[in-house]
Amino acid sequence: MDMDLKGKKVTVVGTGISGIGAAKLLNHAGADVLLYDANPNINPQIVQERMGEIKTRILIGEMTEEAARETQLLVISPGVPIDSPLVEEFRKQGTPVWGEIELAWHFEKGKVIAITGTNGKTTTTALTGAILGAAVKDTFVVGNIGRSYTGEVLKTSSDSVTVAEISSFQLESVSTFHPVISAILNISPDHLDRHHTMECYTQTKEKICMNEGPDDAVVLNFDDERLRDFGTNEAKCQVVWFARKEIPKHGAFAYLQGDEIWIGRDGALSEAFMNVHDMKLIGAHNYENVMAAICMARLWGVDDDIIRAQIREFKAVEHRIEYVREKDGVVYYNDSKGTNPDASIKAIEAMNRPTVLIGGGFDKQLAFDEYVEAFKDTVKVLVVLGQTADKLEACARSHGFTNVIHAKDMKECVEICAREAKPGYAVLLSPACASWGMFDNYEQRGRIFKKYVNEL
């Protein structure tokens, strides 16, 4: 990108973590920043406090004609849809629109490894970051793990690598973002309230490697039919596969055979890389995440011994099938990051005990049939809460599962689970829904769950 931001009038939409990070970065670049939020209940004083000593123009409520007219660049937070009326108006007047990823990329001095997918992004990003961090002195891990790309990018250098978790919301607004290695872990229905169709959602995910060429690489899930087709017919860069159902016939790959992860090429297994029992992560979905991380690390050139050592020591990230405690013979797991049915199915499949399951939350217009079908003999009781509670119960009953209990809040959920779970059972919070409406985010939901579990 060649836009010089010094002196440019830039409007940042959104006053959350992303918006504040973007505003601070723009201020550093010498831009004249206006922080805007349409929510009339936002307190401008609190927004200014978040900006610290940086004095910033702040506009709350209606966008004024003057502010819109003078804006030379619009920067939107991930929560702002690319097709929102506000963004459309700015586009009509010819104003460039960037998201936070595009903005950060403007300042990137090193190379980037970018990871997306419906599920597994956070775990795979954290693991890949740990592996690269053991091999590359200046490694920055950014995304939905506590560090924004805009907040870290000024630390990058020509020798650094940034491992970035990128969501579909962020990919909507990229145009020149160019990782040297990317990964799409899987694609299943999610955020259809935002992207409207699976075709749009899939194409948005695929944008992660749209600027990659023959010297770059994308790591794809061979078991995912959409990604297999994309990698075979559309990707413009080198494709490396990972799989556990079928061995790829063309190209390099990682493959799970029994308990062993193998490395191979063109349909032939060549090297047993490591045994899954040597790692702390559990569940088939995590073995996929590990294989994706192995592929990315090897593409970078990290020594295999370093890769294996980091995988052996890596523990599950917070809120992803996270062990909380054992009480009265019952093991409690926090999978609050299970914000869609496919993610929660993977958590259910990882359970090796009879399970009391907590489900429900914000309605993203997703179907729960496959979620309920995954209960099989594992889930004994379903405790539902939130906006989708009735919808989830109706779906469960339509599949013949009738042991459903409603709870008004998380405290009551935990109390019900403690009452219903017998010694030898597990209690799993994996809601298959977003947290909005009852909680600020899935992190808050998970921590409140853990708080009540630890108070039992």
Side-chain angles (χ1 to χ4, degrees):
M1 275 174 279
D2 54 10
M3 179 183 282
D4 183 3
L5 295 172
K6 189 172 184 179
K8 288 286 191 299
K9 291 187 179 296
V10 183
T11 296
V12 176
V13 184
T15 55
I17 293 173
S18 175
I20 295 295
K24 288 181 177 179
L25 182 56
L26 286 160
N27 180 270
H28 171 85
D32 181 358
V33 181
L34 171 68
L35 252 177
Y36 169 68
D37 203 304
N39 184 351
N41 298 318
I42 296 291
N43 186 330
Q45 185 176 348
I46 293 176
V47 175
Q48 182 56 67
E49 288 173 359
R50 290 175 182 162
M51 288 296 296
E53 297 179 359
I54 303 172
K55 298 301 179 186
T56 308
R57 293 185 297 138
I58 298 169
L59 176 62
I60 303 298
E62 286 287 328
M63 171 61 68
T64 66
E65 289 185 13
E66 180 184 2
R69 187 173 57 252
E70 70 176 12
T71 298
Q72 296 171 283
L73 171 67
L74 188 74
V75 176
I76 57 174
S77 300
V80 180
I82 199 73
D83 60 353
S84 67
L86 175 72
V87 175
E88 289 294 337
E89 283 301 314
F90 275 93
R91 280 185 157 164
K92 284 179 184 176
Q93 70 180 32
T95 305
V97 179
W98 291 359
E100 64 172 330
I101 301 304
E102 195 72 9
L103 173 63
W105 175 246
H106 184 83
F107 297 90
E108 177 64 60
K109 301 182 189 70
K111 294 180 179 179
V112 175
I113 297 175
I115 299 161
T116 195
T118 304
N119 301 304
K121 294 186 296 296
T122 302
T123 296
T124 307
T125 301
L127 174 56
T128 305
I131 296 169
L132 268 291
V136 181
K137 180 182 177 183
D138 292 328
T139 298
F140 302 95
V141 185
V142 301
N144 199 14
I145 51 178
R147 299 187 190 93
S148 69
Y149 190 14
T150 51
E152 296 288 295
V153 71
L154 292 177
K155 302 174 187 175
T156 62
S157 69
S158 59
D159 297 323
S160 69
V161 56
T162 298
V163 182
E165 173 188 4
I166 312 288
S167 72
S168 61
F169 290 5
Q170 293 168 316
L171 286 169
E172 279 185 335
S173 53
V174 298
S175 58
T176 63
F177 176 61
H178 183 172
V180 295
I181 300 170
S182 61
I184 309 176
L185 305 176
N186 44 63
I187 297 179
S188 61
D190 198 10
H191 301 303
L192 297 188
D193 55 328
R194 167 87 167 241
H195 298 293
H196 310 303
T197 67
M198 272 303 295
E199 181 181 17
C200 177
Y201 177 56
T202 300
Q203 290 173 349
T204 302
K205 287 291 191 187
E206 292 167 352
K207 287 179 71 175
I208 198 166
C209 61
M210 68 180 184
N211 293 314
E212 292 187 28
D215 294 332
D216 307 314
V218 62
V219 175
L220 299 174
N221 187 339
F222 191 74
D223 297 329
D224 189 306
E225 290 186 14
R226 297 181 187 90
L227 294 177
R228 186 187 302 194
D229 180 66
F230 174 70
T232 302
N233 300 310
E234 298 180 48
K236 302 172 185 176
C237 56
Q238 176 188 353
V239 176
V240 176
W241 306 100
F242 66 92
R244 59 185 180 87
K245 296 178 182 178
E246 182 181 344
I247 296 177
K249 298 296 186 291
H250 303 286
F253 64 85
Y255 179 71
L256 180 66
Q257 180 169 269
D259 293 335
E260 295 281 347
I261 293 174
W262 285 74
I263 302 300
R265 177 175 287 277
D266 298 333
L269 301 175
S270 58
E271 174 192 352
F273 192 83
M274 70 182 301
N275 191 294
V276 297
H277 296 301
D278 292 335
M279 60 184 75
K280 293 181 170 67
L281 294 173
I282 62 170
H285 65 291
N286 271 326
Y287 304 152
E288 292 181 354
N289 296 337
V290 168
M291 286 191 288
I294 290 170
C295 291
M296 286 183 279
R298 293 183 110 228
L299 281 165
W300 187 270
V302 180
D303 183 84
D304 285 348
D305 287 339
I306 292 176
I307 299 173
R308 281 188 281 262
Q310 291 301 313
I311 293 172
R312 289 189 187 105
E313 294 303 314
F314 187 81
K315 297 177 182 177
V317 296
E318 188 179 17
H319 311 298
R320 197 67 184 104
I321 320 183
E322 176 194 7
Y323 174 89
V324 181
R325 71 176 296 199
E326 181 170 348
K327 168 76 172 175
D328 298 329
V330 177
V331 178
Y332 292 79
Y333 290 97
N334 165 32
D335 191 56
S336 184
K337 206 171 188 302
T339 58
N340 59 65
D342 192 58
S344 291
I345 287 168
K346 290 174 169 58
I348 293 167
E349 290 174 344
M351 294 295 102
N352 56 8
R353 293 165 165 243
T355 299
V356 179
L357 176 66
I358 300 173
F362 179 81
D363 192 353
K364 293 194 284 185
Q365 306 303 314
L366 303 175
F368 295 111
D369 297 273
E370 292 183 0
Y371 176 66
V372 173
E373 288 168 3
F375 292 1
K376 297 182 180 176
D377 294 329
T378 300
V379 176
K380 304 301 182 183
V381 183
L382 173 64
V383 182
V384 294
L385 80 166
Q387 186 182 14
T388 59
D390 291 339
K391 179 179 177 180
L392 189 47
E393 179 181 13
C395 182
R397 291 186 179 280
S398 73
H399 287 271
F401 188 95
T402 59
N403 199 0
V404 182
I405 304 173
H406 282 250
K408 66 178 183 295
D409 54 29
M410 188 60 75
K411 187 174 190 296
E412 187 176 24
C413 269
V414 173
E415 290 171 349
I416 292 170
C417 290
R419 182 185 73 224
E420 295 293 324
K422 302 173 183 176
Y425 273 39
V427 169
L428 172 66
L429 168 67
S430 193
C433 298
S435 58
W436 310 318
M438 295 186 74
F439 308 94
D440 293 340
N441 46 50
Y442 74 81
E443 294 99 333
Q444 184 191 57
R445 176 171 64 187
R447 285 167 189 154
I448 288 174
F449 169 74
K450 291 192 289 184
K451 173 180 180 291
Y452 290 131
V453 168
N454 284 317
E455 288 175 356
L456 288 173

